[in-house]
Amino acid sequence: MLARRAATMAVPTIPSPACISQSANGSIISTRRSTETNPRQHPSTSYRCAGRVVRRQGRSAISRSGSRYLHDLEAGRSLLKRVTLRRDWDSRLDEKDQYPRLGARAAATFEAKPENAEKDYSKNGKAANKGVDNGKDRLAKVPISNIRNFSIIAHIDHGKSTLADKLLQTTGTVLAREMKEQFLDNMDLERERGITIKLQAARMRYVDETGEAYCLNLIDTPGHVDFSYEVSRSLAACEGALLVVDASQGVEAQTLANVYLALESNLEIIPVLNKIDLPGADPERVRREIEEIIGLDCSEAILCSAKEGVGIPEILNAVVKKIPPPKDTAAEPLRALIFDSYYDSYRGVVVYFRVMDGRVKKGDYVQFMNSKTEYQVDEVGVLSPIQMPVNELYAGEVGYLSASIKSVADARVGDTITTVSRKAAQALPGYQLATPMVFCGLFPIDADQFVELREALEKLQLNDAALQFEPETSSAMGFGFRCGFLGLLHMEIVQERLEREYGLDLITTAPSVVYRVHCTDGTITECSNPSALPDAGKRKSIEEPYVRIELLTPKDYIGPLMELAQERRGEFKEMKFITENRASLVYMLPLGEMVGDFFDQLKSRSKGYASMEYSVKGYRESKLVKLDIRINDEAVDPLAVIVHQDKAYSVGRALTQQLKKLIPRQLFKIPIQACIGSKVIASENIAAMRKDVLAKCYGGDISRKKKLLKKQAEGKKRMKSLGRVDVPQDAFMAILRLEKEVV
Amino acid sequence: MNRLFFLSQSPPRILNSLNNPPLTSLNLLHWIFTHPISRSVDYGHRFRSGRGIRSQHAESATSHLVAELMSPSQRPGSARGENLVLDDENVPTASSVYVHIPFCRRRCFYCDFPIVAVGERTDTNKAHMDAGMTDYVDLVCREIRLAAKVNSSKPLQTVFFGGGTPSLLPPPLLLRIIDTLHEHFGIDSGAEISMEMDPGTFDVHSLRQLMDGGLSRVSMGVQSFQGALLESCGRSHGLSEVYEAIEAIHASGLNNWSLDLISSLPHQSLQDWEHSINEAVKASPAHVSVYDLQIEEGTLFNKWYKPGQSPLPSDDNAAEFYRMASAKLQDAGFAHYEISNYAKEGFQCRHNLVYWNNLPYFAFGLGSTSYIGGRRFSRPRKFKQYREFVEQFESSGGVIECPQDSTEDRALDVIMLSLRLARGLDIQAFSQRFGAGLSTLVCKALLPFVSSGHVVFLNADGDILDTEVIKALVQDSRVFGLSRLSYVRLTDPNGFLLSNEVIASIFSALPSGENSQYRACLCNLVDY
């Protein structure tokens, strides 16, 4: 109670230092503006959540809530449409430019100024005072000892994006008039869902109280670490991290996972307690939580409210003081770590990187050490957060380059850039190829859209090295693709982008994981499509991927969550109380059990309070069987599922019962059976259709009757056949949804 | 892309090869329906190129189909203008009239017809009510006069007064309409003049009065022989009025009368229904109509009930009602000549047969639909708009702006209407009118229903053909396979009960606008 009051009391007193430091920075006007706009800028999270929930309603999608999205890191990684941002910026920065798409032209107008600034800087030695132009000084070079590279790590909705906004604003990197909420989340999808899908980087200039100018590079990471590879690359590009924890919610699963990653990369971690302005904020409790759970010293934790602009100068000062500068290795052969890349239709792949050693400039021939491809650099620049070309980047700096690279696959995240003429001896450690973990079939509802779907997938793949697809045909659904995704969020985002940006109507089959099948002839095959599973006679055993899953929950929900994990064949590993009221549960769980509605269940059984994180831990042998669904004595491939032997009966029963409800009556009686091999384990019957007649005559007005019949006929044309049985489109969709729920 | 493919590939292929694979002919058919403009252009020069059209017909069913499906106005080289209506042999002159009398005492809960609820007739509102009805009859008579003037017609064979409750109209007013018809169209001496009557709205005197004026048939809306059921569907009469009305008809000496029932009412049990049919038979009408309750949008029933859910009978029970009616009425000597109509020998409703045979008819009054010159036109369903319509109709000198049915639509009408009849669809007549190709498609679409026992094919001798025989005949690529088939009809009661399913299947098999199946085939051709 006391703490809360203290927090609210603090609010009015803090803005003044903020103003002082900002005026030192020369951006008084923008600061004022930004404070004026504050009331409108709402705590991103709650509003965004609301918007998201509304949007998601009615969709049977697997997930509804935020941290769901934490589940795939890469999901977002390669997906962001940054081209849009770049265009926006080009046009905004040079309003006379009639051809904003031609980035080079807009960019050219910048190049002159930064160089002047650099001269100014060298003359004055210290801070340049340039009023609102100050932001542009960020191109000025500073000594390596004045560079700070850091990222912000947080659980979803703990205010990472809002804090990033405030940092950009306070340093004058983004002027108030250009500011929009969640500045770095510039994809429609990101804004709507309130998540960061694609990460960004921003170079900021900060002048501290002593007048010393610093170059701060903020590397934004997506909130999710479940497939932690790409987040780990981003963190590897930094020397420090701000750990943002919601002062009312406390430590969540992602917070922990993030911190561990940051510690692995030996980062200096600065704890920040955000949202202290909220009535429910309890900084003292959260401070204790961080100390107890993570073991970080929180005596100097910064209290902040990104929304209200409280504590921002303190954060900037802490970044400068606590985070170590990069090592001065500019003389060594070039090694630059790619932490992101995307495809631009005008310039090829644009790579975001951090120079670890050496220097890189325009015109250099560079090699990507893991993909072994070589290109000549067309352009290097910094991200601030728009792309601003510069002549050269050296060790410690963060920036981008474009080199007419054909595909994202040539410049994957984690790869090391070196120069051809002076190659580095060793690539930077930690490179991995992304492997799809979840597969599903994507089929156009309208067979006409098959070509469009293929084109759309090809386009997405240019920008998303992790997306895989191959053509698939199904008697029930026609032509489509079997697509591989990094995880469920990735899958969902790809589906949604296909539907939204490419205007496609899609049917998706139940997601499946990759099984490893040991055959009797000694071979091992990987199988992600139940209908392609080798025959029972040829199989010796099946292995399935397992994940280690950690759930953080208030203690009241431990029971229901344990029940959930047990139902999903979870193997209990450990449970510990991290505070009096909160516990951590660790389970080993088959990934296949998680691709359904696990997350929704987690949220509903814990009334939304539990959070989770998982990582794939390899394959294990399981007693899996293929469950065939036979409709009218014919196996229906898209309905086949791979399930654990013990669950086959219940799944089979549930499926047949639901199918009975969904499949409309036909002319003849239809048996629906669930079988393992030739053994029927569940069976239902749909009675023959009895009556479908319009007996009324409408006094000679047959047009209405005809309209009804035509509508009925139209429905028939869109029927999907399950074996010999025709079902209407919507029933078919319901059947596919059903699988996701039942299995 | 598909369309381009169609335009560039399809026509030459068809014209070059005389033995087309079945898929191509389907594509062509589809193409014809989806490209109404290009067909006259594309085929134009080919048909003008001097080769005899008829000789091609004999060789190729496909090109036969092309010619058949092009209406005269679209046939290249045709001297007729676009506005010319139809060949005379296709549209016989109308000799039937439907007159809508919209007045009812109250609206029944299931009713969505255009009606005007006028309440009970009392001394205080009598004058007002009569004035309103006179006003309406005036309007109808004005419409009749003008319609007779601008359309050629023969003396009327059938006249039908439907409603509403035509028997609410004072007999002199109704007779005025008959007189007007007589004066302007002429009524054949043997014509059937039919009228819907509700129990409680007439007595033997008013009936006699009407019969003297020419009324020859009555269709009485009894609906049910359970007082509770009558009440639950909002009928304005009780059971006693039903029996009084039956007595009045008998007393009047009218033989040709129909008793109308509704099945599948809420709370109706199988016993209730059996009782209603028994009572109906006991009343010894010449004709019985059994309508299955439809829950229409905008009705109270639609607000209260959901089809197939209690208190409405389940689909299975509703089907049982239908079977029972069919069996019991046929036992009692009624022939099941149409899905919902039963008649003693010689007492089929001639006016309704006009509808089912897709023949033209005039229609007058609120919300009524006429079918003249291949144009179906529905009049406004609101009183005010109807008045405006009549005034506009007069001021324009009898012009009704309404598009003519397409060939495709007419084919669908014939299929849909003739399959309602026990006689079924006359395959030969259909082939002649719409082409053997379309006929084949229809027959093919019906094949699955033959094996399931919902449809039977008959040869010229009236024998039911064996499934295998029909298959062989229909699959026969040559045109004369069809000539062995004479009629196709729904079986009673199973086929009738699934008539929508059967007809919708035919509709979906016919190429109309979109047909994803064919397009999917094409898609594959293009992409692989």
Side-chain angles (χ1 to χ4, degrees):
Chain A
M1 193 62 195
L2 254 177
R4 198 177 304 159
R5 197 170 294 158
T8 39
M9 296 269 286
V11 175
T13 57
I14 287 179
S16 41
C19 284
I20 293 162
S21 78
Q22 275 152 0
S23 60
N25 218 1
S27 59
I28 298 168
I29 298 166
S30 65
T31 314
R32 276 204 190 135
R33 283 213 187 139
S34 70
T35 32
E36 276 162 20
T37 55
N38 270 344
R40 284 193 283 129
Q41 290 181 345
H42 247 284
S44 46
T45 49
S46 51
Y47 270 42
R48 285 183 295 158
C49 280
R52 174 191 324 143
V53 168
V54 170
R55 222 197 85 62
R56 305 293 295 171
Q57 268 173 5
R59 271 182 68 113
S60 68
I62 314 160
S63 64
R64 240 159 259 120
S65 146
S67 39
R68 175 59 183 3
Y69 302 107
L70 304 185
H71 283 198
D72 309 30
L73 153 70
E74 288 96 326
R77 289 240 48 248
S78 10
L79 295 173
L80 178 58
K81 229 174 58 185
R82 258 161 315 190
V83 187
T84 327
L85 170 77
R86 193 163 161 273
R87 284 179 201 159
D88 283 352
W89 270 99
D90 288 345
S91 54
R92 254 183 263 163
L93 288 165
D94 184 359
E95 286 169 6
K96 282 176 196 159
D97 186 357
Q98 297 299 306
Y99 306 98
R101 284 179 183 214
L102 303 177
R105 190 171 156 192
T109 58
F110 283 115
E111 212 143 9
K113 279 186 189 167
E115 272 160 24
N116 291 341
E118 201 169 352
K119 278 177 208 150
D120 284 351
Y121 168 71
S122 49
K123 272 184 216 156
N124 302 343
K126 299 280 165 177
N129 229 349
K130 291 199 166 179
V132 286
D133 279 345
N134 177 72
K136 288 181 184 165
D137 283 356
R138 57 193 185 268
L139 284 183
K141 296 284 182 188
V142 296
I144 290 182
S145 59
N146 281 11
I147 295 176
R148 298 290 183 273
N149 294 322
F150 69 103
S151 59
I152 308 178
I153 52 180
H155 189 77
I156 186 136
D157 282 353
H158 280 195
K160 184 164 66 84
S161 300
T162 315
L163 178 59
D165 287 355
K166 265 298 179 300
L167 293 177
L168 292 182
Q169 245 178 320
T170 308
T171 55
T173 311
V174 178
L175 300 183
R177 72 180 158 88
E178 296 154 349
M179 196 63 201
K180 48 185 180 177
E181 226 177 290
Q182 323 293 325
F183 192 86
L184 295 177
D185 295 348
N186 46 45
M187 192 158 122
D188 281 353
L189 220 58
E190 290 181 314
R191 289 176 165 274
E192 255 170 48
R193 293 191 174 200
I195 52 170
T196 304
I197 296 177
K198 198 68 182 166
L199 72 168
Q200 290 280 315
R203 176 174 169 133
M204 300 173 281
R205 183 179 171 84
Y206 175 67
V207 183
D208 72 1
E209 299 98 324
T210 63
E212 185 76 16
Y214 291 89
C215 167
L216 310 183
N217 287 310
L218 165 62
I219 299 174
D220 193 12
T221 57
H224 26 77
V225 293
D226 307 295
F227 292 92
S228 50
Y229 171 62
E230 303 207 1
V231 168
S232 76
R233 294 304 87 205
S234 300
L235 293 178
C238 303
E239 279 80 34
L242 297 174
L243 169 66
V244 176
V245 182
D246 186 319
S248 57
Q249 288 183 22
V251 175
E252 295 286 351
Q254 255 76 45
T255 318
L256 275 183
N258 271 310
V259 169
Y260 294 140
L261 271 178
L263 290 176
E264 266 173 39
S265 302
N266 288 322
L267 300 195
E268 178 67 36
I269 296 172
I270 304 173
V272 173
L273 304 185
N274 194 16
K275 304 193 187 182
I276 52 160
D277 58 308
L278 288 185
D282 187 354
E284 280 317 307
R285 174 179 66 86
V286 175
R287 208 190 290 249
R288 259 200 328 275
E289 265 187 29
I290 298 175
E291 286 185 349
E292 283 168 22
I293 304 167
I294 306 172
L296 270 180
D297 176 15
C298 278
S299 54
E300 290 182 47
I302 300 166
L303 297 184
C304 119
S305 161
K307 177 195 152 203
E308 301 293 342
V310 176
I312 305 298
E314 286 81 348
I315 291 174
L316 287 168
N317 280 330
V319 166
V320 167
K321 294 234 169 65
K322 291 192 178 165
I323 294 176
K327 283 185 209 120
D328 188 352
T329 52
E332 288 176 25
L334 171 69
R335 285 202 301 175
L337 175 67
I338 301 177
F339 61 85
D340 195 11
S341 64
Y342 75 95
Y343 185 83
D344 178 309
S345 40
Y346 298 95
R347 299 181 296 170
V349 176
V350 175
V351 177
Y352 290 6
F353 61 91
R354 144 91 194 265
V355 185
M356 306 304 282
D357 309 314
R359 41 184 77 220
V360 60
K361 61 179 186 300
K362 186 175 166 180
D364 282 354
Y365 283 90
V366 294
Q367 188 194 47
F368 296 93
M369 295 181 78
N370 288 298
S371 67
K372 303 273 184 258
T373 50
E374 291 180 8
Y375 291 96
Q376 185 181 13
V377 178
D378 296 333
E379 185 180 314
V380 284
V382 296
L383 299 151
S384 187
I386 36 149
Q387 296 176 358
M388 296 166 132
V390 298
N391 285 335
E392 188 188 45
L393 290 174
Y394 52 73
E397 287 190 295
V398 172
Y400 73 93
L401 68 78
S402 71
S404 309
I405 304 165
K406 287 192 284 290
S407 154
V408 192
D410 284 355
R412 288 178 192 266
V413 170
D415 206 341
T416 306
I417 309 171
T418 190
T419 43
V420 174
S421 51
R422 195 175 160 222
K423 265 184 211 161
Q426 242 181 338
L428 294 161
Y431 177 75
Q432 278 173 23
L433 267 178
T435 26
M437 296 305 296
V438 178
F439 287 80
C440 82
L442 288 181
F443 294 86
I445 286 177
D446 180 351
D448 260 5
Q449 287 191 327
F450 174 76
V451 187
E452 288 165 60
L453 173 60
R454 189 177 56 195
E455 281 164 8
L457 282 169
E458 278 164 1
K459 274 185 204 158
L460 286 184
Q461 201 179 35
L462 281 180
N463 210 354
D464 185 350
L467 173 66
Q468 289 184 359
F469 62 90
E470 56 184 42
E472 186 183 19
T473 45
S474 140
S475 58
M477 290 177 291
F479 293 93
F481 294 95
R482 185 127 199 116
C483 304
F485 307 96
L486 292 160
L488 291 173
L489 176 67
H490 188 196
M491 179 172 84
E492 221 178 292
I493 302 259
V494 168
Q495 284 169 13
E496 192 154 339
R497 290 193 61 187
L498 286 171
E499 295 191 348
R500 196 187 292 201
E501 291 169 28
Y502 297 91
L504 301 168
D505 292 321
L506 299 174
I507 305 181
T508 58
T509 61
S512 160
V513 299
V514 184
Y515 296 96
R516 216 175 262 170
V517 185
H518 294 263
C519 299
T520 44
D521 59 6
T523 55
I524 301 173
T525 50
E526 295 210 328
C527 170
S528 66
N529 190 346
S531 57
L533 194 72
D535 292 340
K538 291 183 188 156
R539 301 194 299 255
K540 204 162 69 189
S541 62
I542 306 179
E543 283 183 301
E544 62 177 334
Y546 261 73
V547 293
R548 177 186 185 275
I549 176 170
E550 179 163 11
L551 310 168
L552 285 198
T553 173
K555 68 172 185 217
D556 298 354
Y557 307 111
I558 292 174
L561 292 189
M562 288 179 98
E563 213 173 276
L564 172 67
Q566 302 289 0
E567 278 169 23
R568 304 302 169 104
R569 295 192 281 134
E571 183 189 304
F572 178 75
K573 282 291 175 200
E574 66 173 333
M575 178 175 85
K576 54 186 180 204
F577 276 85
I578 48 181
T579 60
E580 241 168 81
N581 279 316
R582 286 156 59 80
S584 141
L585 295 169
V586 178
Y587 276 88
M588 287 298 283
L589 196 80
L591 179 61
E593 295 285 341
M594 261 189 61
V595 297
D597 63 343
F598 185 86
F599 188 75
D600 285 351
Q601 284 295 325
L602 174 82
K603 282 293 174 188
S604 77
R605 292 189 195 197
S606 66
K607 300 200 165 66
Y609 283 109
S611 60
M612 64 174 269
E613 98 40 53
Y614 70 89
S615 51
V616 179
K617 291 291 177 203
Y619 278 78
R620 277 197 196 179
E621 188 176 326
S622 291
K623 285 184 180 162
L624 297 168
V625 291
K626 180 183 169 195
L627 185 66
D628 282 314
I629 300 295
R630 302 175 69 86
I631 297 180
N632 201 23
D633 297 326
E634 209 172 307
V636 181
D637 278 353
L639 295 182
V641 281
I642 295 175
V643 287
H644 193 263
Q645 197 174 302
D646 299 347
K647 293 177 95 180
Y649 285 84
S650 60
V651 169
R653 216 170 14 251
L655 272 177
T656 48
Q657 279 167 2
Q658 295 294 325
L659 283 170
K660 185 186 176 183
K661 284 185 203 155
L662 287 171
I663 296 176
R665 290 172 162 206
Q666 310 275 323
L667 293 175
F668 37 87
K669 183 175 127 180
I670 302 165
I672 301 175
Q673 296 161 323
C675 318
I676 300 172
S678 56
K679 188 172 142 212
V680 177
I681 58 166
S683 170
E684 294 281 342
N685 280 309
I686 300 176
M689 191 194 315
R690 299 301 293 279
K691 170 180 165 268
D692 184 10
V693 56
L694 274 178
K696 212 161 129 185
C697 199
Y698 299 109
D701 181 5
I702 61 161
S703 49
R704 286 174 68 192
K705 183 172 154 57
K706 189 159 89 182
K707 212 182 269 175
L708 286 173
L709 286 169
K710 274 187 164 176
K711 202 171 148 198
Q712 199 170 339
E714 219 31 67
K716 277 185 178 298
K717 284 182 191 169
R718 283 196 302 270
M719 291 266 202
K720 297 281 176 189
S721 49
L722 294 173
R724 264 173 55 215
V725 176
D726 288 338
V727 296
Q729 190 95 38
D730 40 352
F732 189 74
M733 306 280 265
I735 290 167
L736 289 175
R737 277 201 294 279
L738 168 81
E739 284 233 309
K740 292 176 195 165
E741 282 152 25
V742 170
V743 178
Chain B
M1 182 183 277
N2 300 332
R3 296 196 170 175
L4 269 177
F5 179 73
F6 248 133
L7 286 169
S8 59
Q9 298 293 319
S10 211
R13 246 203 227 172
I14 283 151
L15 287 170
N16 294 341
S17 86
L18 297 174
N19 302 316
N20 296 301
L23 175 67
T24 324
S25 63
L26 290 182
N27 284 341
L28 177 68
L29 201 59
H30 166 65
W31 185 78
I32 288 161
F33 273 102
T34 44
H35 302 270
I37 300 159
S38 51
R39 83 181 116 162
S40 55
V41 176
D42 257 9
Y43 280 85
H45 69 273
R46 298 209 161 84
F47 282 114
R48 267 197 296 276
S49 68
R51 265 197 270 168
I53 296 169
R54 284 292 153 193
S55 66
Q56 276 188 19
H57 290 180
E59 292 159 338
S60 155
T62 314
S63 46
H64 183 74
L65 196 56
V66 175
E68 295 283 1
L69 280 168
M70 289 198 302
S71 72
S73 59
Q74 282 159 320
R75 219 170 271 162
S78 164
R80 301 165 195 233
E82 199 54 54
N83 51 354
L84 210 138
V85 180
L86 264 178
D87 296 357
D88 286 342
E89 76 247 5
N90 273 353
V91 175
T93 317
S95 60
S96 294
V97 164
Y98 173 81
V99 182
H100 191 73
I101 307 295
F103 307 106
C104 280
R105 280 176 289 185
R106 57 191 276 197
R107 187 183 277 278
C108 305
F109 301 152
Y110 52 80
C111 171
D112 71 332
F113 282 122
I115 66 141
V116 180
V118 296
E120 291 298 329
R121 193 183 178 84
T122 61
D123 284 343
T124 44
N125 69 9
K126 201 168 76 179
H128 176 71
M129 205 184 275
D130 284 350
M133 289 182 181
T134 313
D135 187 34
Y136 177 74
V137 170
D138 284 343
L139 270 180
V140 170
C141 290
R142 277 159 69 185
E143 208 198 335
I144 291 172
R145 271 193 287 275
L146 193 60
K149 206 191 283 175
V150 297
N151 289 292
S152 59
S153 68
K154 295 185 287 196
L156 300 177
Q157 295 297 324
T158 71
V159 176
F160 194 100
F161 292 94
T165 312
S167 49
L168 268 188
L169 214 57
L173 279 178
L174 198 101
L175 293 174
R176 228 183 92 198
I177 300 176
I178 297 180
D179 289 343
T180 312
L181 286 170
H182 198 78
E183 185 185 332
H184 296 277
F185 284 99
I187 298 180
D188 193 85
S189 56
E192 173 194 277
I193 301 181
S194 243
M195 169 179 176
E196 289 180 349
M197 299 186 105
D198 270 10
T201 59
F202 68 98
D203 56 25
V204 66
H205 304 291
S206 56
L207 193 52
R208 283 241 170 85
Q209 207 178 339
L210 290 166
M211 284 162 67
D212 291 343
L215 185 74
S216 62
R217 185 177 180 275
V218 162
S219 171
M220 186 163 70
V222 170
Q223 321 309 10
S224 169
F225 279 92
Q226 274 79 32
L229 289 183
L230 289 175
E231 206 173 311
S232 75
C233 51
R235 294 290 293 174
S236 58
H237 61 85
L239 200 53
S240 55
E241 278 109 333
V242 168
Y243 287 111
E244 283 163 22
I246 293 170
E247 249 165 63
I249 290 180
H250 285 307
S252 73
L254 185 74
N255 281 331
N256 189 0
W257 71 286
S258 172
L259 193 151
D260 301 349
L261 293 175
I262 297 182
S263 67
S264 307
L265 291 169
H267 304 291
Q268 191 172 35
S269 68
L270 206 57
Q271 288 75 24
D272 291 341
W273 182 235
E274 190 170 8
H275 174 73
S276 282
I277 298 172
N278 288 340
E279 289 298 297
V281 171
K282 259 190 234 162
S284 67
H287 185 284
V288 178
S289 296
V290 177
Y291 297 115
D292 185 60
L293 179 72
Q294 307 288 324
I295 305 295
E296 301 287 352
E297 252 173 64
T299 62
L300 283 170
F301 270 12
N302 185 46
K303 215 190 278 178
W304 298 337
Y305 308 128
K306 269 189 123 172
Q309 288 181 19
S310 177
L312 293 178
S314 67
D315 275 5
D316 286 354
N317 280 345
E320 209 39 59
F321 289 173
Y322 188 90
R323 284 165 209 283
M324 178 187 275
S326 175
K328 285 187 90 81
L329 289 168
Q330 289 187 77
D331 281 351
F334 293 90
H336 194 176
Y337 74 104
E338 194 261 359
I339 282 186
S340 37
N341 287 282
Y342 302 80
K344 290 260 169 74
E345 183 68 38
F347 286 99
Q348 299 185 351
C349 178
R350 283 161 56 195
H351 182 83
N352 282 345
L353 281 171
V354 166
Y355 299 151
W356 298 321
N357 287 319
N358 205 27
L359 294 171
Y361 50 90
F362 294 99
F364 305 107
L366 198 67
S368 63
T369 302
S370 58
Y371 182 44
I372 298 293
R375 292 176 166 81
R376 278 184 205 282
F377 176 74
S378 295
R379 280 149 197 74
R381 289 166 66 92
K382 291 269 162 60
F383 212 103
K384 192 166 158 263
Q385 279 90 327
Y386 174 66
R387 180 187 301 280
E388 283 163 11
F389 157 76
V390 173
E391 280 159 6
Q392 201 259 323
F393 184 56
E394 282 180 333
S395 63
S396 69
V399 176
I400 291 178
E401 292 284 332
C402 171
Q404 203 183 339
D405 280 359
S406 62
T407 315
E408 183 198 351
D409 265 327
R410 249 175 285 150
L412 297 185
D413 288 350
V414 169
I415 294 167
M416 169 181 127
L417 292 167
S418 54
L419 284 178
R420 290 184 72 92
L421 291 169
R423 196 184 61 158
L425 175 70
D426 183 339
I427 296 172
Q428 294 313 314
F430 188 82
S431 300
Q432 251 166 33
R433 202 168 155 194
F434 300 104
L438 208 59
S439 233
T440 311
L441 281 184
V442 172
C443 293
K444 276 191 182 155
L446 286 172
L447 281 180
F449 297 99
V450 175
S451 34
S452 64
H454 295 96
V455 163
V456 287
F457 280 86
L458 307 172
N459 64 13
D461 303 330
D463 300 328
I464 292 176
L465 293 170
D466 188 67
T467 316
E468 291 310 312
V469 176
I470 303 161
K471 260 188 198 155
L473 290 177
V474 171
Q475 309 282 352
D476 191 343
S477 58
R478 288 159 304 166
V479 180
F480 55 73
L482 272 181
S483 64
R484 302 257 321 269
L485 300 171
S486 176
Y487 277 94
V488 58
R489 64 173 174 82
L490 298 174
T491 53
D492 181 11
N494 288 345
F496 278 152
L497 270 169
L498 289 190
S499 62
N500 280 0
E501 174 69 20
V502 176
I503 296 168
S505 298
I506 303 176
F507 280 17
S508 69
L510 298 186
S512 68
E514 306 281 304
N515 198 329
S516 52
Q517 222 185 326
Y518 304 145
R519 289 195 300 166
C521 297
L522 275 172
C523 194
N524 304 341
L525 287 175
V526 173
D527 293 311
Y528 292 100

